[in-house]
Amino acid sequence: MKIAELSFLIVEDEEFQRQMLVEMLKAAKAKNVVTATNGQEAAELLVQDPSVDIIICDLDMPVMDGLEFLRHAGEAGYRGSVLIASALHHTLLAAAEAMSKAYSVNLIGVISKPVTWQLLEEAISRHAAPEAKLHVRSVPRRAFTPDEILHGLTEDQFEPFFQPKVDLATGRVVGAEALARWRHPQHGIIAPAAFIKILEDSGKIDELMWVMLRKAIVFCGTVNTMGVESSVAVNLSLKSLNNVELAGRVAATVERHNLDPSKVCLELTESAATTNLGAALENLTRLRMAGFGLSIDDFGTGYSSMQQLTRIPFTELKIDRSFVTNAVNHEAARVMLTSSLQIARQLNLKSVAEGVETQQEWDLLQELGCDLAQGYFIAKPMEVNDYLNWLKELARTPNSIFTSSILAPFTSRR
Ligand code: C2E
Ligand code: CA
Ligand code: CA
């Protein structure tokens, strides 16, 4: 959107700073600029005109500070964008950023003062009109009942989308993660957030797991017959591990399809403490003995932490997206990332960074010696045919940084 089409609310107690922002925006021909000298004034202005596109907000202000104002804006359901401009230390800015997100404020940037036009313009370019954002919603507002989900499963409406895992040093595609999608006849493609937890809570997550495992195995076979050596990763709910029969059944399924277990990696996320630790450990140890890969997902968050590493025979450590995303700009996240990589190296685990979205993140990970990367920068999760076409396309574009020498068979066959 052009700046000339946008309205702004500047919340800043220092006169000079406030005037400077007004001048910059006026010079860029902003449609409308209003100002407030503290959070209280701003909150009142926002009640009068909630349609303001972008709020530029200082944090440290008298009467009502920026934190409280952003809380009010979030609670009032403000739909525009917010840009924090502050002279506070970067650790405080990081905390304010996290807080804004928790209050569902659409934060488009955090700028340390002094604000320059370049920084301002860059942040403003991230603003998207609220209508545009609405289309992204793939989860209907209403929650599904377990019966609706199970019906979808019976009707074979669930399938994996695949997202490539790429070797950071060579650019080779080494595998793909299977992510569940519900192809709903009325609502379109539905993401896991709308059904995983419900299936787990109703004790039916295994039904989805078997669908995902079978389809992922078939996919892996297809890719391998194309001459691309590739593994596949399937997400496994901890709930599924309560049944001690699981490992044997998984191994039998893979064997029936003539796939080597080493081609299958099971990714484990722990969102709650395990109820049946004994059974979980028995299953996981047996799976590892059978040759399956075991990945600790979302490492560094929730229960997915150090203690798990000491008792489960993992082969891979997946660093949570939040540390990857913030590593470029936030010191604390970078320290977490670096330490996680060090732990992986010392324990002889493959390290995977998830949620890689930018060249900067890719470069940093490469520099830090991370093994594998996954994320929108490389490719979004794709339905099976799109994934296969993507692989073929990759073989035709030899200059891509993800070029795969593994893909040579495609090139020579042409
Ligand atoms: P996860 O295993 O951590 O998967 C990564 C999530 O990040 C996926 O979301 C993926 O689409 C998304 N993602 C990948 N790259 C990027 C990126 O660059 N930026 C951003 N912002 N996001 C990225 P998705 O597909 O919505 O899955 C969410 C979670 O649902 C998964 O998190 C996993 O825990 C769970 N899940 C997915 N499929 C299954 C399944 O078959 N069984 C079980 N039990 N859980 C599943
Ligand atoms: Ca995963
Ligand atoms: Ca994850």
Side-chain angles (χ1 to χ4, degrees):
M1 265 177 112
K2 294 203 188 72
I3 293 185
E5 293 164 15
L6 299 172
S7 57
F8 292 83
L9 166 58
I10 298 169
V11 195
E12 168 66 70
D13 61 320
E14 278 173 57
E15 162 111 48
F16 176 74
Q17 300 280 346
R18 194 169 59 238
Q19 273 316 315
M20 201 176 68
L21 284 167
V22 172
E23 295 305 326
M24 286 198 268
L25 292 170
K26 288 250 163 89
K29 304 211 163 34
K31 190 173 85 182
N32 192 25
V33 183
V34 289
T35 61
T37 60
N38 62 58
Q40 175 111 43
E41 267 182 47
E44 284 160 14
L45 283 169
L46 202 58
V47 171
Q48 284 163 29
D49 179 16
S51 72
V52 58
D53 294 303
I54 300 180
I55 298 174
I56 303 175
C57 185
D58 183 20
L59 291 179
D60 200 7
M61 292 179 292
V63 190
M64 184 194 284
D65 66 18
L67 299 176
E68 188 178 348
F69 167 62
L70 290 178
R71 162 156 57 84
H72 286 305
E75 283 169 355
Y78 171 64
R79 306 277 316 282
S81 301
V82 172
L83 176 56
I84 294 177
S86 169
L88 293 175
H89 190 262
H90 66 86
T91 52
L92 277 171
L93 291 182
E97 183 176 342
M99 181 211 78
S100 306
K101 286 183 185 149
Y103 284 136
S104 303
V105 169
N106 178 36
L107 196 68
I108 55 171
V110 180
I111 302 181
S112 320
K113 285 181 188 168
V115 177
T116 63
W117 173 242
Q118 198 192 355
L119 290 171
L120 193 60
E121 194 182 24
E122 197 208 348
I124 293 172
S125 72
R126 286 194 286 270
H127 167 78
E131 299 79 54
K133 276 177 283 180
L134 262 188
H135 296 298
V136 186
R137 178 186 292 275
S138 65
V139 180
R141 277 167 201 285
R142 184 178 62 89
F144 291 105
T145 65
D147 280 346
E148 286 172 317
I149 301 171
L150 286 173
H151 179 73
L153 276 163
T154 323
E155 297 287 309
D156 197 25
Q157 291 166 0
F158 286 77
E159 66 185 53
F161 270 36
F162 294 97
Q163 187 179 39
K165 281 185 177 176
V166 170
D167 187 314
L168 272 149
T170 63
R172 281 159 47 150
V173 177
V174 297
E177 176 177 4
L179 293 154
R181 295 292 182 266
W182 183 0
R183 204 178 278 276
H184 195 285
Q186 275 91 48
H187 301 293
I189 305 284
I190 293 174
F195 53 83
I196 298 285
K197 176 121 192 346
I198 298 170
L199 281 172
E200 281 180 345
D201 291 349
S202 55
K204 301 287 185 191
I205 190 72
D206 284 8
E207 314 262 331
L208 175 69
M209 195 257 310
W210 291 116
V211 171
M212 291 294 291
L213 185 67
R214 283 195 206 100
K215 293 188 176 178
I217 291 171
V218 172
F219 160 86
C220 194
T222 309
V223 174
N224 284 309
T225 50
M226 285 163 76
V228 183
E229 200 185 317
S230 172
S231 62
V232 73
V234 176
N235 289 283
L236 196 60
S237 164
L238 259 210
K239 292 265 157 77
S240 298
L241 295 174
N242 284 339
N243 177 356
V244 287
E245 310 276 293
L246 179 99
R249 289 183 59 197
V250 168
T253 307
V254 170
E255 197 179 329
R256 221 173 20 249
H257 287 83
N258 293 318
L259 194 65
D260 190 324
S262 68
K263 290 270 177 287
V264 180
C265 181
L266 300 164
E267 296 192 2
L268 240 85
T269 318
E270 209 175 1
S271 50
T274 324
T275 45
N276 192 343
L277 183 63
L281 291 177
E282 183 178 338
N283 272 317
L284 291 170
T285 309
R286 190 168 293 136
L287 284 166
R288 183 68 205 106
M289 276 162 52
F292 287 88
L294 289 182
S295 177
I296 179 164
D297 209 342
D298 301 335
F299 184 71
T301 69
Y303 292 84
S304 189
S305 58
M306 309 271 222
Q307 194 188 21
Q308 308 305 341
L309 289 177
T310 63
R311 51 189 187 194
I312 299 175
F314 286 111
T315 55
E316 180 183 281
L317 184 151
K318 250 182 137 164
I319 300 159
D320 190 64
R321 178 165 84 230
S322 58
F323 304 120
V324 176
T325 310
N326 292 319
V328 173
N329 294 318
H330 297 296
E331 192 187 343
R334 191 163 48 248
V335 170
M336 273 300 299
L337 174 65
T338 314
S339 324
S340 304
L341 288 172
Q342 210 161 17
I343 290 174
R345 218 167 285 138
Q346 282 172 355
L347 294 176
N348 232 335
L349 307 176
K350 268 227 166 331
S351 49
V352 185
E354 60 176 24
V356 181
E357 292 187 355
T358 64
Q359 176 83 55
Q360 255 181 319
E361 288 161 9
W362 171 277
D363 292 344
L364 176 67
L365 289 161
Q366 208 171 38
E367 188 185 316
L368 294 175
C370 182
D371 295 318
L372 306 179
Q374 204 184 328
Y376 296 168
F377 180 60
I378 302 148
K380 290 204 167 175
M382 296 168 269
E383 61 176 281
V384 61
N385 285 327
D386 289 347
Y387 185 93
L388 298 176
N389 286 332
W390 179 84
L391 269 186
K392 288 181 196 157
E393 194 51 45
L394 199 62
R396 282 196 277 272
T397 48
N399 292 329
S400 150
I401 44 170
F402 318 118
T403 298
S404 166
S405 55
I406 267 178
L407 291 168
F410 285 126
T411 331
S412 52
R413 217 179 280 158
R414 272 192 302 142

